[in-house]
Amino acid sequence: MAPPIPRLQSERGIALVLTLFAIVVIGALVSGVFFVGRLEQVTGYNGMWSGQAAEAAEAGLAHANTNIDATTYLSIAVWSPAAPVELALPTRQITGLPGLAFTDTVRRLNQTLFLVRSTGQRQGGGRALATASLGALVRLAKPTVGVNAAVTVQDPIKFNGNSFAVDGFNSMPPQWSAGECPALDAGNSDDVVGIRSSTTTGAAGNDLDNIFGFPTQVVDNDPTITSSTFQDFLDYTYSTLASLPDVKVFPNTTPYNGVAPVLDYSETPAVCDKSAPLNLGEPFRNPPTASAITACSGYFPIVHGTGTQLKFASNVRGQGILLVDGDLEIVGGFEWTGLIIVRGQMKVTGTGNKIYGGILTEGVDINTAGSIGGNVEVHYSSCAITKAADGAAAPQLLSRGWTQIY
């Protein structure tokens, strides 16, 4: 006979055990849900911050392509393992988007090829939440304009007064630092004649006291000077120069007043406002000119006068390449550093006119304001011409817009 099955005397307490077990299981499920949700949230934030950092880096590339002057590119030494030189620009916060910033660097790979890198950051709580780096290859296409005289003309020049100076001895623009003209620093003078003309220069015997050059002051009846001298250059033409991006167009025949460098204060620190229509760069340097806008000292624009006459009011300054389809008239206090190419006639009157670089024009009429008051100066400067050509160099992105750098 089988033994009897014992009878449970009490089942009290099992509900508590089951309840605790259920609480543990439910707690684990809830914790898992919270963990997965938190992980998804953090992953979403990280993805958003990474995307914002990448967008900041792309904004940095666009900023570099827009704001770095060609002369700045060309001032960078070629990078090598022995001399790993790079241009590092200040970190910039993106206006209107707190917490987004970028830092640009430029490495020169050879004479015309550059690697521009931009590192974007999404910042928060005093630290970098995400970082992304993008790079782009930039090539500079630089025009070459041959100049072998301080003033090259097709028609004779008319001189009035005896206080002018046309100087073919290669010189550095005043106030420029020695490092801006390394060829001159090395003793490479490259002097040229004062005036070179396809006919007669128009200079009388008493004018020669004010004309300087090497190996002679003037060259008459130069057969190499033709109409193509003022239109066709080594790798560019007058038309292709005038059609380059960001050319400043001056269509009016009435005098332009208030031409001077301008700052854009929407950036921190303020940058040269290249979009300002009357901003033609800064030929002065600071010091010694306390009013010089140094942020525009590397800006050498191409300026194109498209009317029958381009006339500047007094006390105008700028630098770069000045192209004039018709006639050019300057009336005093005009200071230009670079190259002036005039398809028509050029008339210079008044006092305080100073041009450093070179002039190519069909004809020149230099009227001084009397034997003492008139002091028109034209000085040949290979450095000023080179800088102007550098400023006309067009940065071109190669292949795709950018590539990610890990």
mmCIF file of all heavy atoms in Angstrom, residues 168-210:
data_model
loop_
_atom_site.group_PDB
_atom_site.id
_atom_site.type_symbol
_atom_site.label_atom_id
_atom_site.label_comp_id
_atom_site.label_asym_id
_atom_site.label_seq_id
_atom_site.Cartn_x
_atom_site.Cartn_y
_atom_site.Cartn_z
ATOM 1 N N GLY A 168 61.735 104.301 -64.312
ATOM 2 C CA GLY A 168 61.795 102.901 -64.694
ATOM 3 C C GLY A 168 62.680 102.051 -63.804
ATOM 4 O O GLY A 168 62.766 100.838 -64.004
ATOM 5 N N PHE A 169 63.319 102.659 -62.814
ATOM 6 C CA PHE A 169 64.138 101.874 -61.894
ATOM 7 C C PHE A 169 63.227 101.098 -60.944
ATOM 8 O O PHE A 169 62.368 101.675 -60.278
ATOM 9 C CB PHE A 169 65.092 102.784 -61.109
ATOM 10 C CG PHE A 169 66.204 103.335 -61.946
ATOM 11 C CD1 PHE A 169 66.199 104.669 -62.340
ATOM 12 C CD2 PHE A 169 67.247 102.532 -62.370
ATOM 13 C CE1 PHE A 169 67.212 105.186 -63.119
ATOM 14 C CE2 PHE A 169 68.269 103.036 -63.154
ATOM 15 C CZ PHE A 169 68.256 104.370 -63.542
ATOM 16 N N ASN A 170 63.431 99.802 -60.909
ATOM 17 C CA ASN A 170 62.557 98.917 -60.148
ATOM 18 C C ASN A 170 62.583 99.284 -58.665
ATOM 19 O O ASN A 170 63.645 99.363 -58.050
ATOM 20 C CB ASN A 170 62.998 97.463 -60.327
ATOM 21 C CG ASN A 170 61.910 96.484 -59.956
ATOM 22 O OD1 ASN A 170 60.782 96.861 -59.688
ATOM 23 N ND2 ASN A 170 62.253 95.204 -59.947
ATOM 24 N N SER A 171 61.431 99.524 -58.092
ATOM 25 C CA SER A 171 61.369 99.959 -56.701
ATOM 26 C C SER A 171 60.244 99.240 -55.980
ATOM 27 O O SER A 171 59.329 98.689 -56.599
ATOM 28 C CB SER A 171 61.166 101.470 -56.613
ATOM 29 O OG SER A 171 59.947 101.847 -57.244
ATOM 30 N N MET A 172 60.326 99.249 -54.679
ATOM 31 C CA MET A 172 59.290 98.665 -53.847
ATOM 32 C C MET A 172 58.306 99.762 -53.459
ATOM 33 O O MET A 172 58.719 100.869 -53.122
ATOM 34 C CB MET A 172 59.906 98.041 -52.595
ATOM 35 C CG MET A 172 58.916 97.323 -51.705
ATOM 36 S SD MET A 172 59.736 96.297 -50.460
ATOM 37 C CE MET A 172 60.609 97.555 -49.525
ATOM 38 N N PRO A 173 57.001 99.503 -53.521
ATOM 39 C CA PRO A 173 56.038 100.523 -53.110
ATOM 40 C C PRO A 173 56.319 101.002 -51.692
ATOM 41 O O PRO A 173 56.717 100.219 -50.837
ATOM 42 C CB PRO A 173 54.691 99.794 -53.193
ATOM 43 C CG PRO A 173 54.916 98.710 -54.199
ATOM 44 C CD PRO A 173 56.331 98.276 -54.001
ATOM 45 N N PRO A 174 56.120 102.273 -51.435
ATOM 46 C CA PRO A 174 56.394 102.792 -50.097
ATOM 47 C C PRO A 174 55.494 102.134 -49.059
ATOM 48 O O PRO A 174 54.362 101.757 -49.356
ATOM 49 C CB PRO A 174 56.086 104.291 -50.227
ATOM 50 C CG PRO A 174 55.168 104.389 -51.396
ATOM 51 C CD PRO A 174 55.583 103.298 -52.330
ATOM 52 N N GLN A 175 56.018 101.968 -47.881
ATOM 53 C CA GLN A 175 55.340 101.368 -46.728
ATOM 54 C C GLN A 175 55.294 99.853 -46.783
ATOM 55 O O GLN A 175 54.989 99.217 -45.767
ATOM 56 C CB GLN A 175 53.909 101.904 -46.566
ATOM 57 C CG GLN A 175 53.802 103.406 -46.466
ATOM 58 C CD GLN A 175 52.388 103.853 -46.229
ATOM 59 O OE1 GLN A 175 51.514 103.063 -45.900
ATOM 60 N NE2 GLN A 175 52.139 105.145 -46.397
ATOM 61 N N TRP A 176 55.593 99.259 -47.923
ATOM 62 C CA TRP A 176 55.567 97.803 -47.983
ATOM 63 C C TRP A 176 56.762 97.250 -47.227
ATOM 64 O O TRP A 176 57.853 97.824 -47.257
ATOM 65 C CB TRP A 176 55.580 97.316 -49.433
ATOM 66 C CG TRP A 176 54.260 97.477 -50.129
ATOM 67 C CD1 TRP A 176 53.298 98.401 -49.855
ATOM 68 C CD2 TRP A 176 53.770 96.695 -51.205
ATOM 69 N NE1 TRP A 176 52.234 98.254 -50.699
ATOM 70 C CE2 TRP A 176 52.490 97.214 -51.545
ATOM 71 C CE3 TRP A 176 54.273 95.625 -51.927
ATOM 72 C CZ2 TRP A 176 51.717 96.675 -52.570
ATOM 73 C CZ3 TRP A 176 53.505 95.097 -52.957
ATOM 74 C CH2 TRP A 176 52.241 95.611 -53.268
ATOM 75 N N SER A 177 56.572 96.106 -46.580
ATOM 76 C CA SER A 177 57.674 95.489 -45.838
ATOM 77 C C SER A 177 58.609 94.785 -46.803
ATOM 78 O O SER A 177 58.243 94.455 -47.937
ATOM 79 C CB SER A 177 57.125 94.493 -44.822
ATOM 80 O OG SER A 177 56.440 93.433 -45.485
ATOM 81 N N ALA A 178 59.828 94.543 -46.323
ATOM 82 C CA ALA A 178 60.840 93.933 -47.178
ATOM 83 C C ALA A 178 60.409 92.549 -47.659
ATOM 84 O O ALA A 178 60.686 92.149 -48.787
ATOM 85 C CB ALA A 178 62.164 93.840 -46.426
ATOM 86 N N GLY A 179 59.684 91.802 -46.824
ATOM 87 C CA GLY A 179 59.297 90.449 -47.202
ATOM 88 C C GLY A 179 58.285 90.380 -48.325
ATOM 89 O O GLY A 179 58.083 89.314 -48.909
ATOM 90 N N GLU A 180 57.642 91.490 -48.661
ATOM 91 C CA GLU A 180 56.656 91.481 -49.734
ATOM 92 C C GLU A 180 57.294 91.490 -51.109
ATOM 93 O O GLU A 180 56.617 91.212 -52.102
ATOM 94 C CB GLU A 180 55.716 92.684 -49.593
ATOM 95 C CG GLU A 180 54.828 92.617 -48.367
ATOM 96 C CD GLU A 180 53.826 93.751 -48.312
ATOM 97 O OE1 GLU A 180 52.783 93.648 -48.975
ATOM 98 O OE2 GLU A 180 54.092 94.736 -47.607
ATOM 99 N N CYS A 181 58.561 91.826 -51.194
ATOM 100 C CA CYS A 181 59.256 91.881 -52.481
ATOM 101 C C CYS A 181 60.573 91.118 -52.373
ATOM 102 O O CYS A 181 61.646 91.729 -52.369
ATOM 103 C CB CYS A 181 59.517 93.329 -52.887
ATOM 104 S SG CYS A 181 58.013 94.312 -53.100
ATOM 105 N N PRO A 182 60.534 89.792 -52.269
ATOM 106 C CA PRO A 182 61.771 89.037 -52.075
ATOM 107 C C PRO A 182 62.762 89.180 -53.223
ATOM 108 O O PRO A 182 63.969 89.138 -53.007
ATOM 109 C CB PRO A 182 61.286 87.593 -51.936
ATOM 110 C CG PRO A 182 59.926 87.575 -52.562
ATOM 111 C CD PRO A 182 59.350 88.931 -52.302
ATOM 112 N N ALA A 183 62.275 89.365 -54.458
ATOM 113 C CA ALA A 183 63.203 89.522 -55.581
ATOM 114 C C ALA A 183 64.042 90.780 -55.415
ATOM 115 O O ALA A 183 65.248 90.785 -55.673
ATOM 116 C CB ALA A 183 62.440 89.563 -56.899
ATOM 117 N N LEU A 184 63.401 91.873 -54.975
ATOM 118 C CA LEU A 184 64.148 93.106 -54.750
ATOM 119 C C LEU A 184 65.064 92.968 -53.547
ATOM 120 O O LEU A 184 66.167 93.493 -53.521
ATOM 121 C CB LEU A 184 63.178 94.273 -54.544
ATOM 122 C CG LEU A 184 62.398 94.723 -55.778
ATOM 123 C CD1 LEU A 184 61.453 95.853 -55.413
ATOM 124 C CD2 LEU A 184 63.327 95.170 -56.881
ATOM 125 N N ASP A 185 64.613 92.222 -52.532
ATOM 126 C CA ASP A 185 65.446 92.022 -51.356
ATOM 127 C C ASP A 185 66.734 91.287 -51.713
ATOM 128 O O ASP A 185 67.779 91.507 -51.109
ATOM 129 C CB ASP A 185 64.689 91.213 -50.298
ATOM 130 C CG ASP A 185 63.448 91.954 -49.814
ATOM 131 O OD1 ASP A 185 63.406 93.184 -49.991
ATOM 132 O OD2 ASP A 185 62.550 91.299 -49.268
ATOM 133 N N ALA A 186 66.631 90.400 -52.707
ATOM 134 C CA ALA A 186 67.805 89.622 -53.103
ATOM 135 C C ALA A 186 68.720 90.397 -54.037
ATOM 136 O O ALA A 186 69.734 89.874 -54.491
ATOM 137 C CB ALA A 186 67.370 88.323 -53.756
ATOM 138 N N GLY A 187 68.370 91.620 -54.348
ATOM 139 C CA GLY A 187 69.222 92.443 -55.202
ATOM 140 C C GLY A 187 68.932 92.303 -56.676
ATOM 141 O O GLY A 187 69.696 92.756 -57.517
ATOM 142 N N ASN A 188 67.809 91.664 -57.047
ATOM 143 C CA ASN A 188 67.440 91.516 -58.452
ATOM 144 C C ASN A 188 66.650 92.753 -58.865
ATOM 145 O O ASN A 188 65.449 92.855 -58.630
ATOM 146 C CB ASN A 188 66.601 90.243 -58.624
ATOM 147 C CG ASN A 188 66.232 90.005 -60.081
ATOM 148 O OD1 ASN A 188 66.771 90.640 -60.977
ATOM 149 N ND2 ASN A 188 65.314 89.083 -60.299
ATOM 150 N N SER A 189 67.321 93.725 -59.475
ATOM 151 C CA SER A 189 66.684 95.017 -59.709
ATOM 152 C C SER A 189 65.708 94.996 -60.875
ATOM 153 O O SER A 189 64.635 95.589 -60.808
ATOM 154 C CB SER A 189 67.757 96.089 -59.949
ATOM 155 O OG SER A 189 68.568 95.738 -61.058
ATOM 156 N N ASP A 190 66.038 94.325 -61.979
ATOM 157 C CA ASP A 190 65.147 94.272 -63.144
ATOM 158 C C ASP A 190 64.659 95.644 -63.569
ATOM 159 O O ASP A 190 63.461 95.863 -63.796
ATOM 160 C CB ASP A 190 63.936 93.359 -62.853
ATOM 161 C CG ASP A 190 64.321 91.898 -62.762
ATOM 162 O OD1 ASP A 190 65.305 91.522 -63.409
ATOM 163 O OD2 ASP A 190 63.662 91.153 -62.034
ATOM 164 N N ASP A 191 65.566 96.593 -63.698
ATOM 165 C CA ASP A 191 65.181 97.935 -64.111
ATOM 166 C C ASP A 191 64.732 97.942 -65.570
ATOM 167 O O ASP A 191 65.170 97.113 -66.379
ATOM 168 C CB ASP A 191 66.362 98.900 -63.932
ATOM 169 C CG ASP A 191 66.812 98.984 -62.484
ATOM 170 O OD1 ASP A 191 65.952 98.883 -61.590
ATOM 171 O OD2 ASP A 191 68.029 99.132 -62.247
ATOM 172 N N VAL A 192 63.868 98.891 -65.916
ATOM 173 C CA VAL A 192 63.368 99.028 -67.280
ATOM 174 C C VAL A 192 63.474 100.490 -67.677
ATOM 175 O O VAL A 192 63.848 101.357 -66.882
ATOM 176 C CB VAL A 192 61.900 98.541 -67.387
ATOM 177 C CG1 VAL A 192 61.788 97.067 -67.071
ATOM 178 C CG2 VAL A 192 60.988 99.365 -66.473
ATOM 179 N N VAL A 193 63.135 100.761 -68.931
ATOM 180 C CA VAL A 193 63.153 102.149 -69.399
ATOM 181 C C VAL A 193 61.977 102.897 -68.796
ATOM 182 O O VAL A 193 61.002 102.297 -68.328
ATOM 183 C CB VAL A 193 63.120 102.225 -70.940
ATOM 184 C CG1 VAL A 193 64.302 101.485 -71.536
ATOM 185 C CG2 VAL A 193 61.808 101.668 -71.474
ATOM 186 N N GLY A 194 62.058 104.228 -68.823
ATOM 187 C CA GLY A 194 60.973 105.024 -68.283
ATOM 188 C C GLY A 194 59.748 104.991 -69.167
ATOM 189 O O GLY A 194 58.637 104.677 -68.702
ATOM 190 N N ILE A 195 59.921 105.312 -70.465
ATOM 191 C CA ILE A 195 58.800 105.372 -71.410
ATOM 192 C C ILE A 195 59.184 104.610 -72.668
ATOM 193 O O ILE A 195 60.282 104.781 -73.205
ATOM 194 C CB ILE A 195 58.439 106.822 -71.770
ATOM 195 C CG1 ILE A 195 58.100 107.626 -70.507
ATOM 196 C CG2 ILE A 195 57.278 106.865 -72.742
ATOM 197 C CD1 ILE A 195 57.919 109.108 -70.762
ATOM 198 N N ARG A 196 58.255 103.797 -73.132
ATOM 199 C CA ARG A 196 58.459 103.042 -74.363
ATOM 200 C C ARG A 196 57.244 103.284 -75.245
ATOM 201 O O ARG A 196 56.109 103.117 -74.801
ATOM 202 C CB ARG A 196 58.626 101.558 -74.049
ATOM 203 C CG ARG A 196 59.074 100.691 -75.213
ATOM 204 C CD ARG A 196 59.212 99.253 -74.769
ATOM 205 N NE ARG A 196 60.295 99.075 -73.815
ATOM 206 C CZ ARG A 196 61.555 98.821 -74.152
ATOM 207 N NH1 ARG A 196 61.880 98.723 -75.432
ATOM 208 N NH2 ARG A 196 62.472 98.659 -73.225
ATOM 209 N N SER A 197 57.494 103.697 -76.521
ATOM 210 C CA SER A 197 56.390 104.069 -77.408
ATOM 211 C C SER A 197 56.584 103.468 -78.782
ATOM 212 O O SER A 197 57.719 103.266 -79.238
ATOM 213 C CB SER A 197 56.302 105.595 -77.511
ATOM 214 O OG SER A 197 55.336 105.979 -78.474
ATOM 215 N N SER A 198 55.457 103.194 -79.448
ATOM 216 C CA SER A 198 55.537 102.676 -80.814
ATOM 217 C C SER A 198 55.832 103.792 -81.811
ATOM 218 O O SER A 198 56.230 103.526 -82.946
ATOM 219 C CB SER A 198 54.214 101.991 -81.190
ATOM 220 O OG SER A 198 53.152 102.929 -81.177
ATOM 221 N N THR A 199 55.612 105.055 -81.385
ATOM 222 C CA THR A 199 55.958 106.201 -82.236
ATOM 223 C C THR A 199 57.015 107.012 -81.484
ATOM 224 O O THR A 199 58.013 106.477 -81.057
ATOM 225 C CB THR A 199 54.704 107.043 -82.520
ATOM 226 O OG1 THR A 199 54.108 107.462 -81.298
ATOM 227 C CG2 THR A 199 53.691 106.239 -83.313
ATOM 228 N N THR A 200 56.802 108.299 -81.332
ATOM 229 C CA THR A 200 57.683 109.088 -80.481
ATOM 230 C C THR A 200 57.095 109.123 -79.082
ATOM 231 O O THR A 200 55.876 109.039 -78.910
ATOM 232 C CB THR A 200 57.825 110.518 -81.011
ATOM 233 O OG1 THR A 200 56.533 111.143 -81.007
ATOM 234 C CG2 THR A 200 58.396 110.516 -82.425
ATOM 235 N N THR A 201 57.940 109.259 -78.083
ATOM 236 C CA THR A 201 57.430 109.268 -76.714
ATOM 237 C C THR A 201 56.733 110.573 -76.385
ATOM 238 O O THR A 201 55.919 110.621 -75.466
ATOM 239 C CB THR A 201 58.583 109.061 -75.716
ATOM 240 O OG1 THR A 201 59.518 110.136 -75.835
ATOM 241 C CG2 THR A 201 59.276 107.740 -75.975
ATOM 242 N N GLY A 202 57.054 111.615 -77.104
ATOM 243 C CA GLY A 202 56.498 112.921 -76.792
ATOM 244 C C GLY A 202 57.318 113.696 -75.788
ATOM 245 O O GLY A 202 56.991 114.842 -75.457
ATOM 246 N N ALA A 203 58.376 113.090 -75.287
ATOM 247 C CA ALA A 203 59.206 113.753 -74.284
ATOM 248 C C ALA A 203 60.176 114.712 -74.958
ATOM 249 O O ALA A 203 60.966 114.314 -75.814
ATOM 250 C CB ALA A 203 59.969 112.717 -73.466
ATOM 251 N N ALA A 204 60.110 115.971 -74.552
ATOM 252 C CA ALA A 204 61.058 116.962 -75.053
ATOM 253 C C ALA A 204 62.341 116.922 -74.225
ATOM 254 O O ALA A 204 62.417 116.240 -73.197
ATOM 255 C CB ALA A 204 60.428 118.351 -74.994
ATOM 256 N N GLY A 205 63.329 117.669 -74.687
ATOM 257 C CA GLY A 205 64.618 117.659 -74.000
ATOM 258 C C GLY A 205 64.513 118.068 -72.543
ATOM 259 O O GLY A 205 65.162 117.484 -71.668
ATOM 260 N N ASN A 206 63.685 119.091 -72.270
ATOM 261 C CA ASN A 206 63.575 119.546 -70.884
ATOM 262 C C ASN A 206 62.738 118.592 -70.027
ATOM 263 O O ASN A 206 62.688 118.732 -68.808
ATOM 264 C CB ASN A 206 62.977 120.952 -70.817
ATOM 265 C CG ASN A 206 61.604 121.018 -71.478
ATOM 266 O OD1 ASN A 206 61.225 120.113 -72.213
ATOM 267 N ND2 ASN A 206 60.872 122.092 -71.224
ATOM 268 N N ASP A 207 62.055 117.613 -70.654
ATOM 269 C CA ASP A 207 61.308 116.620 -69.885
ATOM 270 C C ASP A 207 62.197 115.496 -69.374
ATOM 271 O O ASP A 207 61.831 114.794 -68.417
ATOM 272 C CB ASP A 207 60.194 116.003 -70.746
ATOM 273 C CG ASP A 207 59.132 117.011 -71.146
ATOM 274 O OD1 ASP A 207 58.836 117.892 -70.314
ATOM 275 O OD2 ASP A 207 58.609 116.907 -72.273
ATOM 276 N N LEU A 208 63.352 115.306 -70.008
ATOM 277 C CA LEU A 208 64.198 114.168 -69.670
ATOM 278 C C LEU A 208 64.753 114.255 -68.257
ATOM 279 O O LEU A 208 65.180 113.231 -67.695
ATOM 280 C CB LEU A 208 65.335 114.046 -70.688
ATOM 281 C CG LEU A 208 64.894 113.747 -72.132
ATOM 282 C CD1 LEU A 208 66.103 113.653 -73.055
ATOM 283 C CD2 LEU A 208 64.063 112.469 -72.193
ATOM 284 N N ASP A 209 64.761 115.450 -67.678
ATOM 285 C CA ASP A 209 65.217 115.577 -66.300
ATOM 286 C C ASP A 209 64.279 114.874 -65.328
ATOM 287 O O ASP A 209 64.647 114.604 -64.182
ATOM 288 C CB ASP A 209 65.324 117.056 -65.905
ATOM 289 C CG ASP A 209 66.441 117.771 -66.645
ATOM 290 O OD1 ASP A 209 67.352 117.072 -67.152
ATOM 291 O OD2 ASP A 209 66.402 119.009 -66.729
ATOM 292 N N ASN A 210 63.068 114.580 -65.797
ATOM 293 C CA ASN A 210 62.064 113.965 -64.924
ATOM 294 C C ASN A 210 61.761 112.521 -65.314
ATOM 295 O O ASN A 210 60.829 111.927 -64.771
ATOM 296 C CB ASN A 210 60.764 114.771 -64.976
ATOM 297 C CG ASN A 210 60.956 116.223 -64.617
ATOM 298 O OD1 ASN A 210 61.235 117.049 -65.497
ATOM 299 N ND2 ASN A 210 60.830 116.555 -63.343
#
